[in-house]
Amino acid sequence: MSEDIQAGLAEILEEVAGVAPADATPEKSFTEDLDVDSLSMVEIATEVENKFGVAIPDDELANIKTVGDAITYITNNRG
Amino acid sequence: MTAIQLKTGAPGARILGFGDYRPRRRVTNDELSQVMDTNDEWIQSRVGIAERRWASDDETLVEMATAAGGKALAASGLAPDEVDMVVLATASLEYPIPGIGPQVAHRLGIPRPGAFDLNAGCAGFCYSLEMASNAVRAGTARNVLVVGAERLSDVTDQTDRATAVIFADGAGAVVVGASDEPGIGPVAWGSDGDQYSAIEMVAGNGGKMIMAGQAVYRWATTKLTAALEEAMAAAGVGPEDIDVFAPHQANLRIIESMHKRLGFPERTVVARDIVTTGNTSAASIPLALSALLESGQAKSGDLALVLGYGAGLTFAGQVLRLP
Ligand SMILES: CC(C)(COP(=O)(O)OP(=O)(O)OC[C@H]1O[C@@H](n2cnc3c(N)ncnc32)[C@H](O)[C@@H]1OP(=O)(O)O)[C@@H](O)C(=O)NCCC(=O)NCCS
């Protein structure tokens, strides 16, 4: 389950920000390690909603720092 | 009972000519870095602006609007007395009484037209184009001058890096007249008034603008693709028919994101006037199209897809045939 989400998120990261899928591991920080900036985060939130049906409002997005945070958020909010 | 008689309009409306005015003063990112905590690399990567124009004292809204309007009139080949209506799109009047449409018309020698200002934020040009097209088709006006003019530097806190690096000054104009073949497609427009505070002039900020940048970015990159698709569908064209894509020049990243989502063919020219002009709100689309026509990247007869969007929040898009 969480592997599916990690793989799906890795696809989104590659598409939006050119991150190599192998680098999209839970401990990685989007901004520090993967060079994903705040506007790319907004686009990632959009793609997460399209792919997983999980909306991430702006205030929640601000708390998502690592790939692991995103996986947890999606897991907890998936219907 | 006597029936009310109506006028007969034209079968279609089209743009007859473009005009533009760019303020003299170029403001580089390095210049801004000297007065606020910002830098060229950040601005170029987040917004895509290398330099913008800020108006000097003598380059008032009326002066800039008159200059752009005069060029559009000349390009259309019409005499001033053939214009019956003037729509002045602006959101940056510091003192909104009186509106400047009548004064600009007077300065251009257009005798006593229906003239008014229209404020639909950065969507103002496309809203005005719809008014102009309808007026020609209804027989209200033979020809209409539409001007988008902004001095956003007046309503921006020039030391606030959240807005000062983005907003700029300038004017662009078109003349709209009758045509047998429609040259202005049906508008796809709307508003999201629940987000009224996303771009707002507030008393608490000295009357200057504040902006919820990320909320606007998210709205623009998610909600507006549908409006672009609707504008194309309503005009009976598809992405493969679009020669020029000229959305509002708000942020280069938004332009690229829309471009990617719509799937245009390789040959479609994308307006990136923002790089040297900044975000000029209601002036940005006619400025961008003027530049493309002038450089030869866009040609007469090309089909252009435009979309204005911004404060309100408002949006409006159309398919246009370039003159
Ligand atoms: C305005 C905009 C460029 C701001 O980008 P953003 O990524 O949302 O900016 P944030 O405020 O979240 O700041 C992100 C980081 O950049 C920094 N930053 C913000 N503005 C900066 C500037 N002008 N120069 C340098 N750094 C800046 C912040 O301090 C923050 O750094 P941190 O992550 O280390 O804390 C962007 O939101 C945008 O363009 N939105 C669309 C707005 C628009 O198009 N409006 C016009 C509609 S008509």
Side-chain angles (χ1 to χ4, degrees), chain A residues 38-39, chain B residues 36-39 42-43 46-47 122 161-162 165-167 199 211-214 216-217 248 250-251 254 279 281 309-311:
Chain A
S38 48
L39 296 181
Chain B
M36 64 190 80
D37 181 16
T38 190
N39 57 77
W42 191 94
I43 300 173
R46 301 292 172 116
V47 197
C122 302
R161 67 179 189 171
V165 302
I166 297 173
F167 292 117
I199 308 171
M211 178 169 71
Q214 265 180 37
V216 176
Y217 189 88
H248 169 46
N251 178 323
I254 297 176
N279 176 340
S281 192
Y309 56 90

Short mmCIF file of all heavy atoms in Angstrom, two decimals, chain A residues 38-39, chain B residues 36-39 42-43 46-47 122 161-162 165-167 199 211-214 216-217 248 250-251 254 279 281 309-311, ligand 1:
data_model
loop_
_atom_site.label_atom_id
_atom_site.label_comp_id
_atom_site.label_asym_id
_atom_site.label_seq_id
_atom_site.Cartn_x
_atom_site.Cartn_y
_atom_site.Cartn_z
N SER A 38 8.99 25.78 -3.73
CA SER A 38 7.63 25.92 -3.21
C SER A 38 6.57 25.88 -4.31
O SER A 38 5.46 25.39 -4.08
CB SER A 38 7.51 27.21 -2.40
OG SER A 38 8.06 28.28 -3.14
N LEU A 39 6.89 26.39 -5.48
CA LEU A 39 5.89 26.39 -6.56
C LEU A 39 5.75 24.98 -7.15
O LEU A 39 4.64 24.57 -7.50
CB LEU A 39 6.25 27.41 -7.64
CG LEU A 39 6.23 28.87 -7.16
CD1 LEU A 39 6.58 29.82 -8.29
CD2 LEU A 39 4.88 29.25 -6.56
N MET B 36 15.81 45.55 -1.68
CA MET B 36 15.06 44.54 -0.92
C MET B 36 15.83 43.23 -0.94
O MET B 36 16.73 43.05 -1.75
CB MET B 36 13.64 44.37 -1.51
CG MET B 36 13.62 43.84 -2.91
SD MET B 36 11.99 43.94 -3.67
CE MET B 36 11.93 45.64 -4.19
N ASP B 37 15.42 42.33 -0.03
CA ASP B 37 16.12 41.07 0.12
C ASP B 37 15.66 40.09 -0.97
O ASP B 37 14.80 39.25 -0.74
CB ASP B 37 15.83 40.51 1.52
CG ASP B 37 16.54 39.19 1.76
OD1 ASP B 37 17.48 38.87 0.99
OD2 ASP B 37 16.16 38.48 2.70
N THR B 38 16.24 40.25 -2.16
CA THR B 38 15.90 39.34 -3.25
C THR B 38 17.13 39.19 -4.13
O THR B 38 18.17 39.77 -3.85
CB THR B 38 14.69 39.87 -4.06
OG1 THR B 38 14.25 38.86 -4.96
CG2 THR B 38 15.03 41.13 -4.85
N ASN B 39 17.03 38.39 -5.18
CA ASN B 39 18.18 38.22 -6.07
C ASN B 39 17.72 37.75 -7.43
O ASN B 39 16.62 37.20 -7.58
CB ASN B 39 19.20 37.26 -5.47
CG ASN B 39 18.56 35.91 -5.17
OD1 ASN B 39 18.34 35.11 -6.08
ND2 ASN B 39 18.21 35.66 -3.91
N TRP B 42 16.63 34.00 -7.86
CA TRP B 42 15.30 33.65 -7.32
C TRP B 42 14.20 34.16 -8.25
O TRP B 42 13.28 33.42 -8.59
CB TRP B 42 15.12 34.25 -5.91
CG TRP B 42 13.90 33.71 -5.21
CD1 TRP B 42 13.86 32.64 -4.35
CD2 TRP B 42 12.54 34.18 -5.32
NE1 TRP B 42 12.57 32.42 -3.94
CE2 TRP B 42 11.72 33.35 -4.51
CE3 TRP B 42 11.93 35.21 -6.03
CZ2 TRP B 42 10.36 33.53 -4.38
CZ3 TRP B 42 10.55 35.38 -5.91
CH2 TRP B 42 9.78 34.55 -5.09
N ILE B 43 14.32 35.41 -8.66
CA ILE B 43 13.25 36.00 -9.48
C ILE B 43 13.14 35.25 -10.82
O ILE B 43 12.06 34.90 -11.27
CB ILE B 43 13.48 37.51 -9.71
CG1 ILE B 43 13.51 38.25 -8.37
CG2 ILE B 43 12.39 38.09 -10.61
CD1 ILE B 43 13.90 39.72 -8.47
N ARG B 46 11.67 31.61 -10.12
CA ARG B 46 10.28 31.51 -9.63
C ARG B 46 9.28 32.23 -10.51
O ARG B 46 8.13 31.84 -10.58
CB ARG B 46 10.13 32.12 -8.24
CG ARG B 46 10.97 31.55 -7.15
CD ARG B 46 10.57 30.13 -6.80
NE ARG B 46 11.54 29.60 -5.88
CZ ARG B 46 11.28 29.24 -4.63
NH1 ARG B 46 10.07 29.31 -4.17
NH2 ARG B 46 12.25 28.77 -3.87
N VAL B 47 9.69 33.34 -11.10
CA VAL B 47 8.72 34.17 -11.81
C VAL B 47 9.06 34.30 -13.30
O VAL B 47 8.19 34.55 -14.12
CB VAL B 47 8.64 35.58 -11.17
CG1 VAL B 47 7.37 36.29 -11.60
CG2 VAL B 47 8.70 35.53 -9.66
N CYS B 122 -6.45 41.56 -13.81
CA CYS B 122 -5.61 41.16 -14.94
C CYS B 122 -6.43 40.53 -16.07
O CYS B 122 -5.89 40.24 -17.14
CB CYS B 122 -4.53 40.20 -14.49
SG CYS B 122 -3.48 40.90 -13.20
N ARG B 161 9.08 42.64 -1.42
CA ARG B 161 9.58 41.72 -2.43
C ARG B 161 8.51 40.74 -2.93
O ARG B 161 8.65 40.15 -3.99
CB ARG B 161 10.78 40.94 -1.90
CG ARG B 161 10.43 39.98 -0.78
CD ARG B 161 11.66 39.24 -0.33
NE ARG B 161 11.29 38.18 0.60
CZ ARG B 161 12.11 37.26 1.02
NH1 ARG B 161 13.37 37.26 0.62
NH2 ARG B 161 11.70 36.32 1.85
N ALA B 162 7.43 40.57 -2.14
CA ALA B 162 6.39 39.62 -2.56
C ALA B 162 5.63 40.12 -3.79
O ALA B 162 5.07 39.34 -4.54
CB ALA B 162 5.41 39.37 -1.42
N VAL B 165 8.69 42.57 -7.19
CA VAL B 165 9.49 41.92 -8.23
C VAL B 165 8.63 41.50 -9.43
O VAL B 165 9.16 41.20 -10.49
CB VAL B 165 10.26 40.69 -7.67
CG1 VAL B 165 11.15 41.09 -6.51
CG2 VAL B 165 9.31 39.57 -7.26
N ILE B 166 7.32 41.48 -9.24
CA ILE B 166 6.43 40.95 -10.27
C ILE B 166 5.75 42.05 -11.10
O ILE B 166 5.77 42.01 -12.33
CB ILE B 166 5.32 40.08 -9.60
CG1 ILE B 166 5.96 38.88 -8.91
CG2 ILE B 166 4.28 39.64 -10.62
CD1 ILE B 166 4.98 38.06 -8.09
N PHE B 167 5.15 43.03 -10.40
CA PHE B 167 4.24 43.95 -11.08
C PHE B 167 4.97 45.10 -11.77
O PHE B 167 5.99 45.59 -11.29
CB PHE B 167 3.19 44.47 -10.11
CG PHE B 167 2.24 43.39 -9.65
CD1 PHE B 167 2.18 43.00 -8.32
CD2 PHE B 167 1.45 42.73 -10.58
CE1 PHE B 167 1.31 41.99 -7.92
CE2 PHE B 167 0.58 41.71 -10.19
CZ PHE B 167 0.51 41.34 -8.85
N ILE B 199 -5.77 38.72 -4.13
CA ILE B 199 -5.00 39.86 -4.65
C ILE B 199 -5.82 41.09 -4.29
O ILE B 199 -6.92 41.28 -4.81
CB ILE B 199 -4.82 39.80 -6.19
CG1 ILE B 199 -4.25 38.44 -6.62
CG2 ILE B 199 -3.93 40.94 -6.67
CD1 ILE B 199 -4.26 38.22 -8.14
N MET B 211 -0.75 40.04 -1.89
CA MET B 211 -1.13 38.90 -2.74
C MET B 211 -0.80 37.60 -2.04
O MET B 211 0.28 37.45 -1.47
CB MET B 211 -0.36 38.99 -4.06
CG MET B 211 -0.63 37.82 -4.99
SD MET B 211 0.03 38.10 -6.65
CE MET B 211 1.79 37.96 -6.32
N ALA B 212 -1.76 36.66 -2.08
CA ALA B 212 -1.51 35.30 -1.58
C ALA B 212 -0.95 34.50 -2.76
O ALA B 212 -1.69 33.83 -3.47
CB ALA B 212 -2.80 34.69 -1.06
N GLY B 213 0.36 34.63 -2.97
CA GLY B 213 1.00 34.12 -4.18
C GLY B 213 0.73 32.65 -4.46
O GLY B 213 0.39 32.27 -5.58
N GLN B 214 0.87 31.82 -3.42
CA GLN B 214 0.71 30.39 -3.68
C GLN B 214 -0.72 30.01 -4.00
O GLN B 214 -0.97 29.13 -4.82
CB GLN B 214 1.23 29.58 -2.49
CG GLN B 214 2.67 29.19 -2.76
CD GLN B 214 3.29 28.38 -1.66
OE1 GLN B 214 2.62 27.56 -1.04
NE2 GLN B 214 4.55 28.62 -1.42
N VAL B 216 -2.87 31.92 -5.53
CA VAL B 216 -3.11 32.34 -6.92
C VAL B 216 -2.44 31.37 -7.88
O VAL B 216 -3.01 30.98 -8.90
CB VAL B 216 -2.59 33.78 -7.16
CG1 VAL B 216 -2.75 34.18 -8.62
CG2 VAL B 216 -3.33 34.77 -6.27
N TYR B 217 -1.23 30.95 -7.54
CA TYR B 217 -0.49 30.01 -8.38
C TYR B 217 -1.27 28.71 -8.54
O TYR B 217 -1.43 28.17 -9.64
CB TYR B 217 0.88 29.73 -7.77
CG TYR B 217 1.80 28.95 -8.68
CD1 TYR B 217 2.62 29.60 -9.60
CD2 TYR B 217 1.84 27.55 -8.65
CE1 TYR B 217 3.45 28.90 -10.45
CE2 TYR B 217 2.66 26.84 -9.49
CZ TYR B 217 3.47 27.51 -10.39
OH TYR B 217 4.29 26.81 -11.22
N HIS B 248 -2.24 35.71 -20.11
CA HIS B 248 -1.77 36.81 -19.26
C HIS B 248 -0.36 36.49 -18.77
O HIS B 248 -0.05 35.37 -18.37
CB HIS B 248 -2.73 36.98 -18.08
CG HIS B 248 -2.22 37.88 -17.02
ND1 HIS B 248 -1.64 39.10 -17.29
CD2 HIS B 248 -2.19 37.74 -15.66
CE1 HIS B 248 -1.27 39.67 -16.15
NE2 HIS B 248 -1.59 38.87 -15.16
N ALA B 250 1.60 36.59 -16.15
CA ALA B 250 1.62 36.72 -14.69
C ALA B 250 2.90 36.16 -14.10
O ALA B 250 3.52 36.75 -13.21
CB ALA B 250 0.43 36.00 -14.08
N ASN B 251 3.29 34.99 -14.59
CA ASN B 251 4.43 34.26 -14.06
C ASN B 251 4.80 33.25 -15.12
O ASN B 251 3.94 32.50 -15.59
CB ASN B 251 4.03 33.57 -12.74
CG ASN B 251 5.15 32.74 -12.14
OD1 ASN B 251 5.92 32.10 -12.86
ND2 ASN B 251 5.24 32.75 -10.83
N ILE B 254 3.66 29.71 -14.66
CA ILE B 254 2.24 29.44 -14.94
C ILE B 254 2.04 29.26 -16.45
O ILE B 254 1.34 28.36 -16.91
CB ILE B 254 1.33 30.58 -14.40
CG1 ILE B 254 1.46 30.67 -12.88
CG2 ILE B 254 -0.12 30.37 -14.83
CD1 ILE B 254 0.68 31.84 -12.26
N ASN B 279 4.85 41.74 -15.12
CA ASN B 279 3.40 41.50 -15.14
C ASN B 279 2.70 42.85 -15.17
O ASN B 279 2.71 43.59 -14.20
CB ASN B 279 3.03 40.70 -13.88
CG ASN B 279 1.53 40.47 -13.73
OD1 ASN B 279 0.70 41.18 -14.33
ND2 ASN B 279 1.16 39.52 -12.91
N SER B 281 -0.60 43.28 -15.84
CA SER B 281 -2.04 43.14 -15.62
C SER B 281 -2.84 43.29 -16.92
O SER B 281 -2.57 42.59 -17.88
CB SER B 281 -2.48 44.14 -14.54
OG SER B 281 -3.78 43.86 -14.08
N TYR B 309 -6.43 36.64 -16.42
CA TYR B 309 -6.92 36.16 -15.11
C TYR B 309 -6.22 36.94 -14.01
O TYR B 309 -5.07 37.35 -14.17
CB TYR B 309 -6.66 34.65 -14.94
CG TYR B 309 -5.21 34.27 -15.09
CD1 TYR B 309 -4.34 34.27 -13.99
CD2 TYR B 309 -4.69 33.96 -16.34
CE1 TYR B 309 -3.01 33.94 -14.14
CE2 TYR B 309 -3.36 33.63 -16.49
CZ TYR B 309 -2.52 33.62 -15.39
OH TYR B 309 -1.20 33.32 -15.55
N GLY B 310 -6.95 37.15 -12.91
CA GLY B 310 -6.32 37.86 -11.80
C GLY B 310 -7.33 38.31 -10.76
O GLY B 310 -8.34 37.63 -10.53
N ALA B 311 -7.03 39.48 -10.18
CA ALA B 311 -7.77 39.97 -9.02
C ALA B 311 -9.27 39.86 -9.24
O ALA B 311 -9.80 40.15 -10.30
CB ALA B 311 -7.38 41.41 -8.72
C1 LIG C 1 4.65 35.35 -5.84
C2 LIG C 1 5.37 34.06 -6.03
C3 LIG C 1 6.49 34.18 -7.05
C4 LIG C 1 5.98 33.66 -4.69
O1 LIG C 1 6.56 32.41 -4.77
P1 LIG C 1 6.38 31.39 -3.57
O2 LIG C 1 7.21 30.23 -3.87
O3 LIG C 1 4.92 31.20 -3.38
O4 LIG C 1 6.99 32.24 -2.40
P2 LIG C 1 6.95 32.02 -0.85
O5 LIG C 1 6.44 33.27 -0.26
O6 LIG C 1 6.31 30.73 -0.49
O7 LIG C 1 8.47 31.93 -0.54
C5 LIG C 1 9.28 30.82 -0.91
C6 LIG C 1 10.70 31.11 -0.48
O8 LIG C 1 11.25 32.19 -1.27
C7 LIG C 1 11.61 33.31 -0.47
N1 LIG C 1 11.19 34.51 -1.17
C8 LIG C 1 9.94 35.01 -1.29
N2 LIG C 1 9.94 36.08 -2.08
C9 LIG C 1 11.21 36.29 -2.47
C10 LIG C 1 11.85 37.25 -3.29
N3 LIG C 1 11.17 38.23 -3.92
N4 LIG C 1 13.17 37.16 -3.48
C11 LIG C 1 13.88 36.18 -2.89
N5 LIG C 1 13.34 35.24 -2.09
C12 LIG C 1 12.01 35.30 -1.90
C13 LIG C 1 10.86 33.10 0.83
O9 LIG C 1 11.54 33.69 1.91
C14 LIG C 1 10.82 31.60 0.95
O10 LIG C 1 12.05 31.12 1.41
P3 LIG C 1 12.12 29.91 2.46
O11 LIG C 1 11.47 28.75 1.74
O12 LIG C 1 13.57 29.75 2.65
O13 LIG C 1 11.34 30.39 3.62
C15 LIG C 1 4.42 32.97 -6.51
O14 LIG C 1 3.60 32.58 -5.45
C16 LIG C 1 3.58 33.39 -7.69
O15 LIG C 1 4.06 33.86 -8.69
N6 LIG C 1 2.26 33.18 -7.61
C17 LIG C 1 1.36 33.56 -8.63
C18 LIG C 1 1.04 35.00 -8.47
C19 LIG C 1 0.53 35.63 -9.72
O16 LIG C 1 0.70 35.14 -10.79
N7 LIG C 1 -0.09 36.77 -9.53
C20 LIG C 1 -0.55 37.58 -10.57
C21 LIG C 1 -1.91 37.23 -10.94
S1 LIG C 1 -2.51 38.55 -11.90
#
